[in-house]
Amino acid sequence: MDDETRLQTVPHSCEAIELGDVMALKLRKRVIEALSSRPGEKLKAREIATWICEKYPEEAAAKLHASASLKNQTDLLNQLVAEIGSCRPQWQKMHPEFRTAEGIKPRLYYWTSKSEEDEVEEAELEGEALLPGSDEPKIREHDLYPMLIEFMFAEQGVHGYRIDERKSSNSRGPGGNKWLFPDVVGIENLTDGLDPEVVAAIRESRDKRLRLWSFEVKILINRSNARETYFQAVSNSSWANLGYLVAAEIEGADTLKELRIRYAMHGIGLIKLDAANPAESQILIPARERHDLEWAKCSRLSRENRDLSAFMKRVRQFFQTGDL
C-alpha cells in the first residue's frame, strides 16, 4: 500500500485543513511553496511533507500536539502524506500549475507555469531531454525503443524489432502513411518451452503458434495529447493481435482516466516505461487481444516499409522452422 492510501485520519473537507489558529499548519499554502520553490522538480508526497516539517517546525509541532491520534513525528508525516493525497484533486482545480505524474507509485507532484501543450512540445523536441527527477541531460523518443524491447522480452518473452518510418516508400503521397507504422513490433512464440511433440502437433493442427504485438511510443502523455496519441496507437496497431501505447511519462489523473475510457472501446493497452530503470516499467492496462491478424493490413505495411517487410519475413520463417 502506498503512502497516500494509508489509513490515516484525513479530514472530510480539505477546507478544514486550512482552518486553525495562527500557529496552525496551512497545508495547501506550504505544499504550493514547496513545489513552486523548485519548479519542474517532481517530488513524492512524503518528500513534500518532510520539507514542510523541516522548514516550519513550529507549525508542524502545533499540528502534532493538537491531534489526539498523532503520537510522534512518523505519525505526523503519514498524516500529511494522506492529507496531500486526499486534497490533491481540489487543489489542482484551484491551481492549474499544480501537476502530477501518473502511472507510478507513489505519485509525483510538481509545479509548472507551462501549458500542457508546451510540455508535450518540449518533451518531443529532437534535442536533449531530462530523465524524471534528474538534472542529467538525456533522452529522445528514439532512445526509448531499445528500453521497450528489453522490457518486453524480459516481461513477456516478446522479441521486439524497431520499425523506422523513414524507410517507407511514401508511394501514396504526402500524408499517405500517416498513423500507419508503429514504432516497435514484436513476435511472441506461444510454443516456447513446450515439448517438441506437442509443438509438432500444434503445427500440424494449424493452431495458433504466435502473437504479433504493436507499440506506439511517446515521451510524454498528458491531457493535451492523450486522445490523439491513443488513436494513433489504434490506427498503427489495427493489424496486430495486441496493441500498446507506451509512455515514459504520464501526467495527470485525468489523463489515465481518459486512456481507460478509450481502452474500454478500442482495447489498446498502456505501458509506463521507466527510462531510468527499464526493468521497473509497468503494464498499466493490459491490451485486449484480437484473435485474428489483419493480413491485408500486414501486406500493405510490408509493401510500404522495408523494416515491416523484414519483420514479416521473420514471421514466415517462424511458421516454416519454428525459430526466431
Side-chain angles (χ1 to χ4, degrees):
M1 181 179 298
D2 61 87
D3 286 338
E4 289 180 26
T5 55
R6 291 179 185 274
L7 296 177
Q8 300 295 326
T9 307
V10 180
H12 296 294
S13 170
C14 290
E15 285 83 354
I17 297 175
E18 300 301 318
L19 301 178
D21 56 32
V22 176
M23 291 299 297
L25 176 59
K26 306 298 192 293
L27 187 58
R28 175 168 59 90
K29 180 179 179 180
R30 299 312 181 202
V31 168
I32 291 172
E33 181 183 351
L35 295 174
S36 61
S37 65
R38 29 189 171 178
E41 184 176 347
K42 295 179 172 65
L43 300 174
K44 301 174 185 176
R46 184 164 294 277
E47 292 173 326
I48 299 172
T50 300
W51 182 91
I52 292 172
C53 290
E54 292 176 352
K55 181 80 171 180
Y56 297 98
E58 292 182 352
E59 292 183 16
K63 182 177 179 67
L64 177 60
H65 295 311
S67 173
S69 63
L70 303 179
K71 305 302 182 183
N72 51 44
Q73 187 76 4
T74 299
D75 288 348
L76 174 62
L77 286 174
N78 288 340
Q79 176 72 10
L80 292 177
V81 168
E83 289 178 359
I84 291 170
S86 175
C87 295
R88 172 193 57 80
Q90 182 174 324
W91 292 349
Q92 285 185 306
K93 291 177 182 178
M94 299 168 65
H95 304 281
E97 303 89 350
F98 181 28
R99 310 273 176 85
T100 56
E102 302 291 325
I104 52 177
K105 294 294 184 180
R107 177 183 280 115
L108 299 178
Y109 299 79
Y110 69 104
W111 186 272
T112 180
S113 59
K114 299 173 186 175
S115 70
E116 291 177 320
E117 291 80 3
D118 287 342
E119 286 189 297
V120 171
E121 183 178 355
E122 183 178 285
E124 293 180 350
L125 286 176
E126 285 296 321
E128 292 182 339
L130 297 178
L131 276 169
S134 170
D135 293 329
E136 298 181 5
K138 57 129 241 35
I139 64 171
R140 299 172 301 170
E141 182 181 303
H142 287 70
D143 299 319
L144 301 176
Y145 304 149
M147 299 179 190
L148 172 64
I149 290 171
E150 174 188 341
F151 169 69
M152 290 309 300
F153 183 74
E155 186 76 9
Q156 299 287 336
V158 174
H159 297 259
Y161 305 92
R162 166 77 175 112
I163 303 300
D164 191 343
E165 187 176 334
R166 294 172 297 182
K167 295 182 181 179
S168 304
S169 65
N170 295 317
S171 61
R172 297 173 183 260
N177 289 333
K178 185 178 181 181
W179 289 10
L180 188 62
F181 302 106
D183 296 309
V184 174
V185 295
I187 304 175
E188 180 187 4
N189 178 5
L190 297 178
T191 67
D192 189 34
L194 297 181
D195 182 87
E197 289 298 329
V198 174
V199 174
I202 294 173
R203 184 183 300 117
E204 293 299 322
S205 70
R206 297 187 179 181
D207 202 354
K208 192 171 183 179
R209 297 167 53 201
L210 59 70
R211 275 195 291 249
L212 300 187
W213 299 56
S214 175
F215 305 91
E216 181 63 32
V217 181
K218 300 295 178 185
I219 293 178
L220 169 65
I221 300 176
N222 61 24
R223 287 183 300 178
S224 73
N225 69 345
R227 293 187 183 184
E228 180 181 4
T229 55
Y230 191 89
F231 283 116
Q232 185 177 1
V234 170
S235 177
N236 290 349
S237 303
S238 61
W239 56 276
N241 297 117
L242 295 160
Y244 276 92
L245 179 59
V246 182
E249 293 190 66
I250 304 170
E251 294 180 354
D254 289 342
T255 302
L256 275 177
K257 181 179 179 181
E258 176 71 23
L259 295 176
R260 289 191 175 100
I261 291 172
R262 300 299 157 189
Y263 166 79
M265 294 185 286
H266 302 285
I268 298 297
L270 178 65
I271 294 174
K272 170 65 174 65
L273 188 64
D274 189 330
N277 186 0
E280 296 299 319
S281 301
Q282 301 176 59
I283 298 177
L284 299 181
I285 305 175
R288 189 161 61 240
E289 183 177 356
R290 304 182 190 93
H291 184 73
D292 297 318
L293 294 167
E294 184 55 60
W295 289 112
K297 183 71 173 288
C298 291
S299 178
R300 179 186 174 186
L301 294 174
S302 184
R303 287 183 180 138
E304 295 287 343
N305 183 279
R306 295 196 305 274
D307 283 346
L308 250 304
S309 180
F311 176 70
M312 289 302 164
K313 183 177 180 180
R314 290 179 183 274
V315 174
R316 173 179 63 80
Q317 290 174 337
F318 173 80
F319 280 122
Q320 290 176 335
T321 67
D323 296 326
L324 288 176

